[in-house]
Amino acid sequence: MERQKVKQLLSEMTIEEKVGQLTQFAGLFYSTQTNDVPVTGPVDFPVNDEIIETSGSVLGIAGAKKLIDIQKTYLEKSRLNIPLLFMADVINGFETIFPIPLGLGATWEPSLIEELQAVSAKEATSAGLHVSFAPMADLVRDPRWGRVMESTGEDPYLNGLFAEATVRGLQGEDLTQNSEHLAACVKHFAAYGAAEGGRDYNTVDVSERELREMHMPAYKAALEAGVKLVMTAFNTVHSVPATGNQALLRGMLREEYGFEGLVISDFGAVQELIPHGVAEDETEASKKALLAGVDIDMMSLCYSHSLTQLIKEKKLDESLLNEAVERVLHLKNDLGLFEDPYRGTSEKREKSTLGHASHKELARTVAEKSSVLLKNNDILPLTKETTIALVGPYADNNDLLGEWSIFGNMDETATLKDKLQEAFPTLTFAKGSDLYERNQDLLEEAIHSATHADVVVLALGEGRDRSGEGRSRSSITLSPSQIELAKKISELGKPVVVTLFNARPIDLTELEPYVDAILECWHPGSEGASAIVNLLIGDANPSGKLTMSFPRATGQIPVYYNAYNTGRPLPAGSEERFFSRYIDIPNEPLYPFGYGLSYASFEYSEARSNGDKFDRKQTLQVEIDVTNTCNVEGEEIVQLYIQDPVAEVTRPVKELKGFKKITLAPNETKTVSFEISEPMLRYHHSDLSYSSDPGTFYVFINGSSNCTDTNKLTITLTEA
Ligand code: GLC
């Protein structure tokens, strides 16, 4: 329908019908066939049929037949034939599940993320969905928070590239013409990742400068990529809950960033303005949320119960209601729903799309690229003739899809044991321990089974029940029973390779000395087991690098690479007292941002540049030679960091400004170059202006954030 007709349609709607467009409830309220609907928040409140029948969108339900039926029934009752919108969380895949986003981040390959998100969109739309609640662009620094798994990590620039790639992959070029794409929704606006103490839903208190410098870039990247929706966060921003925050939503998001799309609250967040202590009741919560610019109230009864009255009593201007409804109608129109409310969904299309072999193939490739080799004392890859004992609670465990795989199929997911025994038919297996509980019989059996092996592959980790929303932990170690198992197995004196399946950085300090290799596999998705076996036997070579630091201890949190120097930075190697340090552990994390090994090994030359001075109109070229010193091909992620050592405000010790992923044949050398230009040196000053200052900058090029002076250059931005 032509865009102008939306206004016409709006003018024909009653206030009640308009309010209906601004509410969203979970699929489980829709029909008896939907009692298998995943629940993503508290649902214990009374919703009557009238509310459901007038509500304009549905949350968290999918399946061609189901959604066609619901849409049909709905339209039969809709006076103006306005179709329903179906929204859900399609985060790392729909039925074909890819690694969790923290793993996707470790690929450092935004184009790959775009490709897999297009596959997710294809599957999700075949099952009738119109909107996905992705990308999650929250910057994360606290692995106690269960939701770090949904983020791509601790770097604003990298998060921005992934957010942009996700939007492009999900939305494609033209939503109206191409029903294999769906609308993306960037979340959680804003700074949800900064919850104090890593406790979910907790207070966020960041300065305006920190907000703009660290948290906003990734949301902005999604906006610039044309994302259709924005979801508000549960937390406060400058002491006002985001969902009722006019300065944040109307001020920053709409006026400053120019966002014209739809704003949806997070699950129940309008109602939560009451316990937050900024609204007395549902009426005041509704008023504050609409005034702030929240168009759709997801999963609370505030708008349904009070917006109509607020408008009729003229306590809220009807123009506010109209503009919100207009945005909902525009989204429906952009999706082509007025022409085809089913967007071409059919059971036939769904059947031929879901879990297609090419999707699975991609899932395997992505899982290979997302795994990070943290340690390897020359034991990996395993040679084919080796006798392997596979031990551990994650060895025969199909909990590999991650917490957001709500439409994935765990029962059909192969375990590491299934796939490893195809490669090693003589493999023995023993569980050794439950994931979180000790079991003496299992422990003894495992020791016995490992006795005759050449190498022990120990599959450890943390299940989906310990990660994701509402699953913060006060300690991020592996369970004591798994540590005990690793220690006992290591006493056998055989090489021990750990495959780690988890969804947050884990404190590996206690485990690390006892094992010879550690492969971080994350929750790797539907094809994760095949991918991990390929890596273990060297059919694939690890190339992933961490995008979130692995702390040495829970007490070291937050620890992140782009930190500040402080007035008393600890000199390298020093243990003196009056410096910024812990007296019981080093300052550095166990494994830093940007770190990850390969079966190849790479040597970096000294960095060089084509000059050391440049002005605002010029660029400088910096380059380095990287050599593969091994006889296997490998991929390396060459990273560019910049430090601004003297500025108007204190600046991070380094910031990622670029990277290149290269493939090097055995003994091959490649020159990797980067262009440095003035915009890369800009930052928010104390008055919040965003610009650069002339002066000296340090440039580092390395295979990790852990840079040394060898690959450091000094350059100068001149006044002219
Ligand atoms: C939540 C989450 C959000 C999700 C929404 C809908 O509680 O915070 O990320 O998109 O529910 O499922």
Side-chain angles (χ1 to χ4, degrees):
M1 147 172 122
E2 289 159 39
R3 259 184 105 73
Q4 309 85 284
K5 291 204 175 148
V6 164
K7 273 228 163 14
Q8 169 67 31
L9 180 58
L10 185 71
S11 70
E12 291 168 28
M13 295 171 76
T14 63
I15 294 179
E16 288 78 1
E17 283 168 338
K18 290 181 195 172
V19 171
Q21 290 300 312
L22 304 188
T23 62
Q24 175 172 116
F25 297 96
L28 78 156
F29 295 116
Y30 277 75
S31 95
T32 48
Q33 333 156 26
T34 58
N35 50 11
D36 57 339
V37 175
V39 171
T40 55
V43 290
D44 191 17
F45 56 81
V47 186
N48 61 38
D49 288 350
E50 195 190 326
I51 290 178
I52 291 300
E53 279 168 19
T54 51
S55 189
S57 60
V58 188
L59 159 71
I61 174 173
K65 178 163 180 356
K66 236 182 246 178
L67 299 198
I68 290 171
D69 287 352
I70 293 177
Q71 187 74 286
K72 219 179 237 158
T73 316
Y74 180 82
L75 284 173
E76 277 159 15
K77 294 185 186 161
S78 165
R79 186 178 70 92
L80 295 168
N81 280 313
I82 304 175
L84 270 173
L85 267 177
F86 294 111
M87 310 196 187
D89 296 277
V90 182
I91 309 296
N92 47 307
F94 181 78
E95 186 178 286
T96 304
I97 302 294
F98 300 94
I100 56 164
L102 196 57
L104 297 182
T107 66
W108 293 59
E109 225 177 292
S111 59
L112 188 68
I113 303 322
E114 182 173 341
E115 190 184 340
L116 73 88
Q117 290 297 359
V119 164
S120 296
K122 195 169 178 179
E123 290 199 352
T125 51
S126 82
L129 287 173
H130 306 141
V131 173
S132 169
F133 295 128
M136 192 269 221
D138 303 332
L139 180 113
V140 293
R141 289 173 170 175
D142 194 329
R144 288 172 297 183
W145 193 42
R147 301 197 76 169
V148 300
M149 59 160 290
E150 297 172 49
S151 166
T152 47
E154 70 191 36
D155 184 66
Y157 164 70
L158 204 51
N159 285 351
L161 295 179
F162 286 122
E164 184 190 337
T166 302
V167 173
R168 280 209 305 263
L170 290 175
Q171 293 193 168
E173 305 257 297
D174 184 348
L175 277 181
T176 318
Q177 297 303 325
N178 191 341
S179 61
E180 292 192 341
H181 287 278
L182 40 61
C185 174
V186 65
K187 64 191 189 184
H188 306 85
F189 196 76
Y192 181 37
E196 278 182 4
R199 204 185 75 209
D200 209 356
Y201 319 120
N202 201 7
T203 307
V204 166
D205 193 6
V206 292
S207 71
E208 179 81 14
R209 234 192 61 75
E210 181 82 357
L211 182 69
R212 288 175 180 269
E213 192 73 13
M214 293 292 170
H215 297 274
M216 286 299 171
Y219 306 117
K220 272 175 85 176
L223 300 180
E224 280 156 21
V227 73
K228 292 279 184 190
L229 297 93
V230 170
M231 185 186 292
T232 66
F234 289 123
N235 52 276
T236 50
V237 174
H238 302 326
S239 306
V240 179
T243 308
N245 193 323
Q246 287 197 39
L248 181 72
L249 302 179
R250 286 210 188 263
M252 251 174 134
L253 179 65
R254 293 226 184 266
E255 278 160 40
E256 192 181 331
Y257 299 162
F259 179 64
E260 291 180 351
L262 193 66
V263 174
I264 184 166
S265 80
D266 200 347
F267 197 113
V270 176
Q271 187 276 335
E272 288 170 22
L273 296 179
I274 305 168
H276 262 300
V278 299
E280 198 169 11
D281 52 21
E282 285 185 342
T283 308
E284 197 181 2
S286 301
K287 194 172 166 186
K288 287 209 161 176
L290 195 70
L291 279 170
V294 174
D295 301 318
I296 295 184
D297 173 3
M298 179 206 289
M299 283 300 281
S300 103
L301 287 166
C302 292
Y303 279 15
S304 311
H305 283 172
S306 46
L307 272 192
T308 304
Q309 207 175 344
L310 278 166
I311 305 285
K312 287 190 174 160
E313 288 174 0
K314 307 236 177 298
K315 290 182 178 149
L316 268 182
D317 200 309
E318 194 169 348
S319 64
L320 278 178
L321 178 70
N322 287 344
E323 70 178 42
V325 176
E326 213 175 315
R327 283 194 278 264
V328 177
L329 297 178
H330 275 306
L331 180 62
K332 293 185 174 182
N333 192 35
D334 289 348
L335 287 157
L337 290 175
F338 289 105
E339 283 75 27
D340 175 7
Y342 308 102
R343 281 191 102 221
T345 310
S346 69
E347 286 181 78
K348 190 166 160 238
R349 175 175 147 199
E350 182 183 44
K351 195 157 178 265
S352 63
T353 308
L354 297 188
H356 190 277
S358 63
H359 304 176
K360 290 193 170 157
E361 177 70 19
L362 182 64
R364 187 183 47 71
T365 306
V366 179
E368 286 168 5
K369 286 174 177 254
S370 70
S371 302
V372 185
L373 184 63
L374 297 174
K375 176 175 183 176
N376 188 16
N377 286 346
D378 279 338
I379 182 67
L380 286 177
L382 300 170
T383 42
K384 293 255 158 69
E385 301 71 38
T386 317
T387 313
I388 306 281
L390 176 63
V391 173
Y394 241 107
D396 196 21
N397 190 336
N398 58 6
D399 184 1
L400 300 175
L401 304 185
E403 178 56 11
W404 263 133
S405 57
I406 51 185
F407 305 107
N409 193 338
M410 223 160 98
D411 296 339
E412 285 174 16
T413 305
T415 68
L416 181 62
K417 173 172 163 267
D418 296 335
K419 293 292 165 187
L420 200 62
Q421 66 196 6
E422 288 173 14
F424 298 95
T426 60
L427 176 109
T428 61
F429 160 69
K431 193 174 176 192
S433 159
D434 291 321
L435 262 182
Y436 315 117
E437 304 293 327
R438 188 179 190 282
N439 182 317
Q440 185 65 26
D441 292 343
L442 291 180
L443 182 63
E444 283 169 18
E445 186 199 342
I447 294 166
H448 179 73
S449 118
T451 314
H452 304 290
D454 301 329
V455 175
V456 183
V457 173
L458 198 51
L460 307 177
E462 184 176 85
R464 64 192 285 180
D465 61 344
R466 290 286 195 279
S467 49
E469 187 174 349
R471 302 231 178 83
S472 296
R473 296 187 59 196
S474 68
S475 161
I476 57 159
T477 52
L478 283 173
S479 64
S481 62
Q482 294 188 73
I483 298 286
E484 182 188 4
L485 173 66
K487 288 182 178 171
K488 285 268 159 34
I489 292 289
S490 86
E491 282 169 13
L492 297 173
K494 298 172 188 298
V496 179
V497 172
V498 170
T499 52
L500 207 57
F501 298 88
N502 54 291
R504 56 156 58 79
I506 296 273
D507 164 6
L508 296 172
T509 303
E510 200 178 349
L511 175 80
E512 191 270 343
Y514 291 91
V515 301
D516 299 280
I518 305 176
L519 183 65
E520 172 54 75
C521 310
W522 313 110
H523 289 166
S526 314
E527 301 303 307
S530 306
I532 303 313
V533 171
N534 284 349
L535 290 165
L536 290 176
I537 64 178
D539 281 0
N541 189 347
S543 60
K545 304 246 188 195
L546 298 178
T547 57
M548 188 174 185
S549 307
F550 272 44
R552 271 174 206 278
T554 304
Q556 200 186 28
I557 298 170
V559 59
Y560 48 93
Y561 89 95
N562 44 2
Y564 300 101
N565 207 31
T566 80
R568 294 196 181 186
L570 183 69
S574 164
E575 289 198 356
E576 280 187 54
R577 180 172 166 198
F578 294 109
F579 289 100
S580 181
R581 60 178 286 243
Y582 296 103
I583 55 173
D584 50 352
I585 52 169
N587 282 357
E588 294 73 33
L590 190 62
Y591 301 114
F593 175 88
Y595 170 84
L597 305 171
S598 160
Y599 298 149
S601 60
F602 305 107
E603 223 172 72
Y604 282 68
S605 70
E606 281 195 18
R608 52 186 186 267
S609 68
N610 64 350
D612 56 6
K613 287 193 173 51
F614 67 122
D615 66 27
R616 289 172 199 283
K617 293 194 199 82
Q618 295 171 323
T619 57
L620 265 192
Q621 179 135 331
V622 295
E623 58 183 37
I624 203 158
D625 300 327
V626 186
T627 304
N628 177 358
T629 56
C630 281
N631 56 5
V632 287
E633 182 182 284
E635 271 185 316
E636 171 68 333
I637 301 165
V638 184
Q639 303 155 38
L640 171 78
Y641 295 92
I642 295 186
Q643 181 185 7
D644 183 352
V646 184
E648 190 242 348
V649 297
T650 185
R651 305 277 295 115
V653 287
K654 58 185 85 93
E655 290 176 294
L656 183 75
K657 293 291 176 181
F659 60 91
K660 287 195 177 150
K661 201 167 182 178
I662 54 167
T663 304
L664 288 175
N667 304 312
E668 189 187 8
T669 299
K670 273 186 183 159
T671 301
V672 178
S673 57
F674 297 95
E675 291 235 311
I676 302 203
S677 57
E678 180 274 331
M680 292 160 97
L681 310 178
R682 294 180 190 168
Y683 67 96
H684 290 91
H685 289 65
S686 52
D687 64 359
L688 301 180
S689 62
Y690 188 66
S691 60
S692 62
D693 307 329
T696 296
F697 296 85
Y698 302 136
V699 175
F700 305 85
I701 310 176
N702 198 22
S704 162
S705 65
N706 179 8
C707 308
T708 63
D709 279 356
T710 324
N711 28 42
K712 174 174 161 184
L713 288 170
T714 304
I715 59 169
T716 306
L717 177 70
T718 59
E719 286 286 355

